[in-house]
Amino acid sequence: MSLGSAGNTNGPALYILEVLKGYTMIFDCDDESDYFQWVAVKGEQQFFGCSPEEVLGLVGIYEALGDDWNQYSAYDKEHIYQRELSDYL
């Protein structure tokens, strides 16, 4: 199975966020510029991103790691850059 972010993944991401996870989704845009963002709000929680898929990813980070999510910002990711996609497909 393969899945990538595309035009047909917005709907499922919005469905998961609103129906399954209980967030209110807001599309916030500035009419005088090209600035826009998607915002998920539930109680005191707010997540911002450029797409529903991005917001869903941020919600997933928070759900997995909680308020201490940023303690992993220095995670050693150098080994990931050494991997070749063809070795895993």
Side-chain angles (χ1 to χ4, degrees):
M1 203 289 283
S2 296
L3 179 64
S5 179
N8 64 351
T9 55
N10 280 175
L14 289 167
Y15 174 81
I16 292 166
L17 287 161
E18 287 205 319
V19 177
L20 301 181
K21 296 190 176 286
Y23 287 88
T24 299
M25 290 300 296
I26 301 156
F27 181 71
D28 178 36
C29 64
D30 182 347
D31 292 336
E32 297 179 15
S33 71
D34 0 347
Y35 173 79
F36 71 91
Q37 65 182 350
W38 287 90
V39 184
V41 178
K42 181 164 69 170
E44 298 294 317
Q45 298 175 338
Q46 299 175 15
F47 299 91
F48 306 86
C50 295
S51 70
E53 298 89 341
E54 187 173 293
V55 174
L56 182 57
L58 295 171
V59 167
I61 289 171
Y62 183 76
E63 288 178 349
L65 303 175
D67 289 332
D68 295 327
W69 62 268
N70 59 351
Q71 75 181 15
Y72 297 93
S73 61
Y75 175 72
D76 180 15
K77 52 191 171 286
E78 289 303 315
H79 65 284
I80 296 171
Y81 299 125
Q82 305 306 314
R83 295 177 183 153
E84 296 293 329
L85 181 60
S86 60
D87 292 340
Y88 297 90
L89 297 179

